[in-house]
Amino acid sequence: MADLSDATILSTVKTRPARASVDGIIETSIPFRLDSLRWSGFHTRVVLALGITWILDGLEVTLAGALSGALKESPTLNFTNLDVGFSNSAYLAGAVLGALGFGWLTDRIGRKKLFFITLALYLAATAATALSWSVASYALFRFLTGAGIGGEYTAINSTIQELVPARYRGWTDLVINGSFWIGAAMGAVSAIVLLDPALFGPDLGWRLAYLTGACLGLVVFVMRMWIPESPRWLMIHGHPDRAHAIVDDIERSAIGRVQEQRQHDWPKIRLRMRNHTPLREVARTLFFLYRRRSLVGLTLMIAQAFFYNAIFFTFALVLTDFYGIASNQIGWYILPFAAGNFLGPVLLGRWFDTLGRRTMITFTYGASGLLLALSGYLFAIGVLSAQTQTIAWMVIFFFASPAASAAYLTVSETFPLEVRALAIAVFYAVGTGIGGVAGPALFGALIDTGSRNSVFAGYLLGSGLMVAAAVIAWRYCIAAERRALESVARPLAFVE
């Protein structure tokens, strides 16, 4: 069941592109019509509309990291390093629960509806963070912000897989997720200005930073209008005519006309329509039918979540506590770090579609883990300056950024459509719960010891997780590159 060829699941009946029978079975070529398209303005608009959200997320998370020094200096909040770590963990805990709840809804009511629900929660909670009056209120609003972002992860990654042609799927997914770091660079620059004591007081600059991010996010509501509901989701959930109409519109936008079945001889797939997928079937699919894929997805998620969240959320603390960098200067150090994170997916992403998933996932996970261990040792013996430490992080995350994005790519393309969003949610939740929530709090405590060796021990843990994930990926990763989603993971609704 784990690896089926196209020929075993496709039929070649030459009828209408989508036809429903009285028993709820449809024959459709919709997936193959979508995959046959070349890159077009439609796909560019999808990338922009989805990437903007990740840019805002990058702005949000970077501000949280860059503002940690300002929160410690705030006369109202007066954070400790432990408070900073706790608040960041609250954000991630919210993301875990939001992913699970909204992931379930995404598979049940569709991708597009969830876009607006999760975005509204995210923006409202971000604005509320600016009004925080205590550590507890700040942590609560960060929790709610995370819940909105967790829901975004599931809906957006599902949509990427289901709208983008197979030959571009890997690169597109990595670049959209990597656009987070454009927002990170914007957040770094904003922090430089808003934390300047000559311009704003110690309790005003960080509040304005959050408000600015929330206001900028309003433009996303308009851009989301460009994205249709997933035709793949619609055809399984009882709306084949609507799915067919959307694909017609996509083809008109992409190539100026509707493609005819008789001219292309596309294969077809037969599906029994359903209105939802029971949770029992979801569990059976994830942990019985595709248990090996679940092992790979879970391992990749845990490793990258600990690696990323532990280091990035405490980025500013290392610079301030060990290198004496002023909190209002942290933004200058985040800029090259963000550049490495964005360039990694852009420059390496094409190879995920050519050299393949297995090779590139193994390489990026292994390289980033080994480089972290090396830089951690140099940090422990005290030979790095703030500048060389930043360069080291820039190189490490050039490889770690596509690795982390590949975890979402792997989970979202190797499970059936009916459980795709919830699969992303489950593995994101477990991975972030184990690796992400614990990471910032652990590193905050390690940094509070003032011991370089203690921090190095944390780096070694993150390095070991990445190398272990690389080994498992090499052994079990699925070759999903340039293949139709329906051949990578047969829909549960498939009818022989």
Side-chain angles (χ1 to χ4, degrees):
M1 183 81 182
D3 294 294
L4 297 170
S5 66
D6 293 14
T8 63
I9 68 169
L10 307 176
S11 65
T12 56
V13 181
K14 295 179 177 60
T15 55
R16 291 181 57 205
R19 185 187 67 186
S21 65
V22 292
D23 56 357
I25 296 176
I26 62 170
E27 292 174 341
T28 179
S29 60
I30 280 177
F32 313 102
R33 291 172 64 189
L34 291 171
D35 278 342
S36 72
L37 295 173
R38 304 292 299 179
W39 192 267
S40 68
F42 167 78
H43 301 106
T44 300
R45 290 193 294 273
V46 169
V47 170
L48 290 174
L50 299 181
I52 286 286
T53 300
W54 266 199
I55 290 173
L56 290 173
D57 185 31
L59 174 67
E60 165 78 22
V61 173
T62 303
L63 286 175
L67 297 177
S68 58
L71 293 171
K72 291 163 65 177
E73 296 168 3
S74 167
T76 302
L77 301 183
N78 195 27
F79 272 35
T80 64
N81 285 340
L82 183 59
D83 292 333
V84 172
F86 172 75
S87 298
N88 290 332
S89 291
Y91 173 88
L92 293 168
V96 166
L97 295 178
L100 289 172
F102 291 125
W104 176 76
L105 282 174
T106 299
D107 279 333
R108 195 174 184 91
I109 68 173
R111 286 44 169 145
K112 187 167 184 174
K113 291 178 182 177
L114 263 295
F115 281 155
F116 296 98
I117 296 172
T118 55
L119 184 60
L121 174 60
Y122 166 60
L123 295 178
T126 298
T129 304
L131 307 177
S132 301
W133 58 89
S134 65
V135 173
S137 63
Y138 180 89
L140 173 62
F141 295 139
R142 295 295 293 159
F143 173 87
L144 294 174
T145 303
I149 280 295
E152 291 274 292
Y153 279 125
T154 60
I156 287 179
N157 280 284
S158 299
T159 301
I160 295 170
Q161 306 306 318
E162 294 164 17
L163 288 179
V164 174
R167 59 187 173 279
Y168 309 115
R169 195 169 62 228
W171 181 81
T172 303
D173 191 280
L174 266 62
V175 169
I176 288 178
N177 281 284
S179 64
F180 173 100
W181 296 100
I182 298 176
M186 294 170 58
V189 173
S190 300
I192 292 169
V193 175
L194 295 172
L195 297 182
D196 187 342
L199 297 176
F200 302 101
D203 206 39
L204 179 60
W206 67 267
R207 296 181 187 274
L208 290 176
Y210 282 120
L211 281 175
T212 300
C215 292
L216 290 175
L218 294 176
V219 71
V220 179
F221 275 97
V222 177
M223 299 187 73
R224 288 281 169 90
M225 300 294 181
W226 295 346
I227 304 177
E229 181 57 88
S230 165
R232 283 176 155 108
W233 183 89
L234 287 169
M235 69 184 182
I236 285 180
H237 289 82
H239 306 284
D241 291 338
R242 186 175 161 206
H244 186 263
I246 288 175
V247 175
D248 287 351
D249 288 341
I250 291 174
E251 289 176 339
R252 291 189 191 98
S253 175
I255 61 174
R257 60 182 174 79
V258 176
Q259 302 183 91
E260 295 293 336
Q261 170 76 22
R262 62 178 179 273
Q263 294 176 342
H264 297 276
D265 194 28
W266 284 301
K268 293 183 183 293
I269 186 170
R270 301 180 74 234
L271 303 167
R272 187 182 301 277
M273 294 182 291
R274 53 172 66 187
N275 57 20
H276 74 285
T277 301
L279 290 177
R280 186 186 332 185
E281 188 174 6
V282 173
R284 179 174 176 271
T285 301
L286 297 183
F287 303 116
F288 178 72
L289 292 179
Y290 292 105
R291 56 183 176 273
R292 182 175 293 177
R293 298 184 185 193
S294 294
L295 169 65
V296 174
L298 184 60
T299 302
L300 296 181
M301 282 289 191
I302 291 174
Q304 67 85 24
F306 184 91
F307 190 89
Y308 247 98
N309 294 309
I311 295 172
F312 185 57
F313 275 123
T314 55
F315 181 95
L317 297 180
V318 171
L319 292 176
T320 56
D321 287 25
F322 289 98
Y323 295 108
I325 303 300
S327 61
N328 64 337
Q329 296 298 306
I330 295 298
W332 294 115
Y333 293 86
I334 292 179
L335 285 175
F337 180 81
N341 275 279
F342 180 64
L343 289 174
V346 171
L347 298 179
L348 300 181
R350 295 289 187 189
W351 291 355
F352 283 78
D353 287 322
T354 54
L355 294 180
R357 308 291 199 253
R358 180 169 170 259
T359 298
M360 289 305 298
I361 291 174
T362 300
F363 171 67
T364 52
Y365 269 80
S368 53
L370 294 174
L371 288 172
L372 178 63
L374 175 61
S375 70
Y377 172 73
L378 297 177
F379 168 79
I381 64 176
V383 300
L384 297 178
S385 64
Q387 291 73 28
T388 54
Q389 176 73 74
T390 302
I391 292 171
W393 278 332
M394 180 180 177
V395 174
I396 291 167
F397 283 87
F398 176 84
F399 299 102
S401 182
S405 296
Y408 293 97
L409 172 64
T410 299
V411 171
S412 57
E413 70 182 354
T414 57
F415 291 95
L417 181 143
E418 296 91 332
V419 302
R420 180 166 292 126
L422 193 52
I424 297 169
V426 168
F427 293 114
Y428 169 79
V430 175
T432 302
I434 295 174
V437 174
L442 172 62
F443 268 74
L446 293 175
I447 292 169
D448 263 344
T449 66
S451 168
R452 288 175 178 262
N453 286 330
S454 296
V455 178
F456 177 42
Y459 288 150
L460 284 179
L461 176 57
S463 172
L465 289 172
M466 293 295 279
V467 172
V471 172
I472 290 175
W474 179 255
R475 178 66 180 85
Y476 297 118
C477 198
I478 300 297
E481 60 274 4
R482 307 176 76 86
R483 293 173 58 190
L485 291 173
E486 289 73 18
S487 69
V488 176
R490 188 170 74 177
L492 301 178
F494 174 75
V495 177
E496 297 286 353

